[in-house]
Amino acid sequence: MTGKSENTPKSRALGAELRECRFETGLTQQQLADRIGVSYVSVSRYETGSRSPKPEDVAQLLTVLGVTGDRYSRLVDLSRGADQPNWLDTGQGIRKELTRLIEFERTATKITDVAIGVIPGLLQTADYARSVMADMATDEIEPYVAMRVGRREVLHRKNPINFDAFISENVLRDRFAGAATMLEQLRHLESMAELENVTINVIPAVSERWHPAHAGAFIFFDFAKTTPMVHLEHYASGVFLYGDDEVSPYRSALATLQQVAMDRDQSAKLIATTARELEGADP
């Protein structure tokens, strides 16, 4: 088998799904490698995304793993163009979207989430997440919530990622989830902000200058050994940017937002004040 060295978002997403398929069979990387006639190093590189297999290679892997039907077709199709730096992901259901995000969160050293419409996913409570997903099919909501809550593990593991969040002040005051749920969410933010590896900066609702957050939300991923990546989430699709020319402006945008946003202590005080106001106490 041959393939190209990538570490692109699409090759890493494909690798995560191939690893999931292998786990379901109970095979080790060495056992799978023996069955398809390659070294376990090749299998490892495919699963990490550092080398993307060709569609025909993916087809062989899936056949050995017993993957058939729609899943087989989808993964072979996912392998096409995996060497391209940027990726428009139209998604294949909420589980597959989260499989991809979980993979990037798991391997990142730092994540910076610029949240303009909702609380960042890694900081959401279960009830808040249910409210965000209110227009989804009923049978998808609970699996999504379980996976979203499970994603918090990267913030609490032995070597946790560093997580920075820029949250619009308007997000803190929005009550689409209901007052009780929003109060619980604000209290959760207070608790999370106490972690050494988590920094929350609030972007004031009123600004006298244009800044990058006016252009929309995005998530910036830093990795130890590969190029940074940016995720742009839309209503029914997402875009992953990987090329240096595409990613660099977002790095500059974060520097600008650092100047615009409240600092860590100011942000913590505003979150606490907003929570007190919501529960009817004196600010």
Side-chain angles (χ1 to χ4, degrees), residues 3-12 49-53 81-85 226-227 242:
K4 299 179 180 179
S5 297
E6 326 289 1
N7 273 314
T8 65
K10 195 172 185 181
S11 66
R12 280 183 275 181
S50 60
R51 185 172 291 274
S52 61
D83 58 329
Q84 299 302 308
T226 61
T227 302
Y242 186 67

Side-chain angles (χ1 to χ4, degrees), residues 207-218:
S207 176
E208 295 184 355
R209 57 174 286 193
W210 186 94
H211 54 73
H214 286 119
F218 63 91

Side-chain angles (χ1 to χ4, degrees), residues 40-278:
Y40 81 91
V41 174
S42 294
V43 173
S44 176
R45 288 175 176 172
Y46 292 153
E47 292 185 358
T48 60
S50 60
R51 185 172 291 274
S52 61
K54 296 179 179 179
E56 55 267 31
D57 298 333
V58 172
Q60 181 185 1
L61 282 166
L62 297 177
T63 298
V64 170
L65 294 172
V67 177
T68 60
D70 291 343
R71 190 181 193 187
Y72 174 95
S73 299
R74 180 175 58 78
L75 292 181
V76 171
D77 186 63
L78 185 62
S79 68
R80 305 183 196 282
D83 58 329
Q84 299 302 308
N86 302 317
W87 174 30
L88 171 61
D89 180 17
T90 56
Q92 293 288 338
I94 195 66
R95 284 183 174 273
K96 291 311 167 190
E97 175 190 346
L98 285 180
T99 296
R100 294 158 189 175
L101 283 177
I102 288 170
E103 174 65 13
F104 301 142
E105 291 168 352
R106 182 185 68 83
T107 55
T109 55
K110 181 178 180 180
I111 299 173
T112 306
D113 195 328
V114 179
I116 308 305
V118 296
I119 299 296
L122 288 176
L123 300 180
Q124 290 180 10
T125 64
D127 284 343
Y128 185 91
R130 289 188 184 94
S131 298
V132 171
M133 294 298 110
D135 63 346
M136 286 176 52
T138 303
D139 62 346
E140 286 189 323
I141 292 178
E142 289 310 313
Y144 174 88
V145 171
M147 294 180 75
R148 170 148 288 186
V149 172
R151 287 164 58 195
R152 299 179 193 165
E153 182 271 338
V154 298
L155 301 177
H156 301 283
R157 66 193 184 191
K158 184 176 180 180
N159 295 307
I161 63 167
N162 290 311
F163 184 74
D164 289 357
F166 289 94
I167 304 176
S168 169
E169 181 180 350
N170 293 325
V171 171
L172 303 178
R173 301 187 184 281
D174 200 333
R175 300 189 187 183
F176 70 85
T181 295
M182 195 62 209
L183 179 58
E184 178 191 29
Q185 177 64 71
L186 291 171
R187 294 305 187 195
H188 180 66
L189 288 181
E190 289 184 85
S191 175
M192 295 299 292
E194 294 176 358
L195 298 177
E196 291 185 2
N197 59 306
V198 175
T199 300
I200 298 176
N201 298 101
V202 176
I203 302 171
V206 178
S207 176
E208 295 184 355
R209 57 174 286 193
W210 186 94
H211 54 73
H214 286 119
F218 63 91
I219 305 175
F220 196 103
F221 294 86
D222 282 295
F223 302 97
K225 298 180 180 180
T226 61
T227 302
M229 180 179 70
V230 172
H231 180 228
L232 307 175
E233 184 175 358
H234 305 294
Y235 180 72
S237 63
V239 176
F240 293 91
L241 304 178
Y242 186 67
D244 289 339
D245 291 343
E246 290 82 4
V247 169
S248 293
Y250 289 89
R251 178 79 76 184
S252 299
L254 293 179
T256 300
L257 289 176
Q258 194 67 58
Q259 301 171 7
V260 172
M262 303 176 192
D263 64 27
R264 185 170 185 163
D265 290 339
Q266 292 172 325
S267 299
K269 290 178 181 178
L270 178 61
I271 293 170
T273 297
T274 305
R276 290 197 300 270
E277 292 172 349
L278 188 54

